[in-house]
C-alpha cells in the first residue's frame, strides 16, 4: 500500500504524525522545507484530480511534460484518500462555515474546500502554502502553513 510517505526525524520531532497535503504543497514538494511537513504525508483524490487536469491546462509543451511527470510521480508515490461519504458530509459543514463567513464556496475555491472536507473527515491537519485560502475553515480543520526553501538557479 502506498498511502503515506514517512520522513525520518533528524532530532526530537514535534510535528504532527500525519497530515494531508494541499495541492499547492504537492506541486512544490521538492522546494518545501521538510521541517514544515508532518512525519507521514497523505494526499486527497481531489489533489490527484487537480494534477490530472494540469497537463491539459497548458499549451506549452515543456510545461505539459513537467506537469505530466509530476502527476505520474504522485500517482506512483501516494494512494490518495478518497472523497467518500464521510468527506461529502464534511463538505456540508465546510460549505456552511464559508457561507457564515459571507463568502461563496464555488468557483476556484471549491476544490480547496473539497480538500479541506477530506482533511476534516479524516481528522488530519491540512498542510498548505496558501493558508489564507482556508481562513474560513480554520475552526474546523487545523491549517498548517508550509514554507519553501530557497533554491539555487
Amino acid at each position: 500500500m502506498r498511502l503515506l510517505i514517512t520522513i525520518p526525524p533528524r532530532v526530537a520531532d514535534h510535528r504532527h504524525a500525519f497530515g494531508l497535503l494541499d495541492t499547492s504543497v504537492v506541486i512544490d514538494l521538492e522546494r518545501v522545507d521538510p521541517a514544515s511537513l508532518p512525519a507521514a504525508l497523505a494526499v486527497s483524490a481531489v489533489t490527484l484530480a487537480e494534477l490530472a487536469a494540469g497537463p491539459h491546462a497548458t499549451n506549452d509543451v515543456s510545461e505539459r511534460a513537467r506537469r505530466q511527470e509530476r502527476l505520474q510521480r504522485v500517482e506512483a508515490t501516494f494512494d490518495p484518500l478518497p472523497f467518500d461519504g464521510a468527506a461529502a458530509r464534511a463538505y456540508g459543514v465546510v460549505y456552511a462555515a464559508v457561507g457564515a463567513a459571507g463568502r461563496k464556496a464555488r468557483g476556484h475555491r471549491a476544490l480547496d474546500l473539497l480538500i479541506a472536507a477530506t482533511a476534516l473527515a479524516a481528522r488530519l491537519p491540512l498542510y498548505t502554502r496558501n493558508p489564507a485560502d482556508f481562513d474560513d475553515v480554520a475552526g474546523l480543520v487545523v491549517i498548517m502553513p508550509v514554507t519553501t526553501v530557497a533554491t539555487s538557479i
Side-chain angles (χ1 to χ4, degrees):
M1 178 173 238
R2 303 170 287 142
L3 179 59
L4 301 172
I5 293 178
T6 303
I7 300 171
R10 286 178 241 149
V11 292
D13 201 344
H14 301 289
R15 300 177 297 171
H16 287 103
F18 299 101
L20 184 66
L21 305 183
D22 177 36
T23 308
S24 66
V25 175
V26 174
I27 287 171
D28 285 328
L29 197 53
E30 298 84 21
R31 295 182 36 227
V32 168
D33 179 3
S36 67
L37 294 174
L41 314 175
V43 300
S44 73
V46 176
T47 289
L48 196 58
E50 286 189 276
L51 294 176
H56 305 288
T58 183
N59 291 324
D60 181 281
V61 174
S62 54
E63 179 61 21
R64 184 178 302 124
R66 276 190 294 279
R67 292 178 183 191
Q68 185 64 38
E69 189 273 330
R70 180 184 304 121
L71 169 63
Q72 290 172 335
R73 195 168 1 107
V74 170
E75 287 176 326
T77 305
F78 294 98
D79 195 6
L81 297 178
F83 190 83
D84 57 9
R89 287 185 295 280
Y91 181 72
V93 175
V94 167
Y95 188 93
V98 171
R103 298 185 45 177
K104 301 285 184 197
R106 295 185 292 233
H108 72 281
R109 299 201 67 221
L111 293 175
D112 286 340
L113 298 177
L114 291 172
I115 294 169
T118 303
L120 178 60
R123 297 181 179 170
L124 292 174
L126 178 59
Y127 287 75
T128 181
R129 291 194 57 231
N130 307 309
D133 290 352
F134 300 95
D135 283 347
D136 298 335
V137 298
L140 301 171
V141 177
V142 175
I143 305 300
M144 300 297 298
V146 172
T147 58
T148 56
V149 293
T151 57
S152 56
I153 298 177

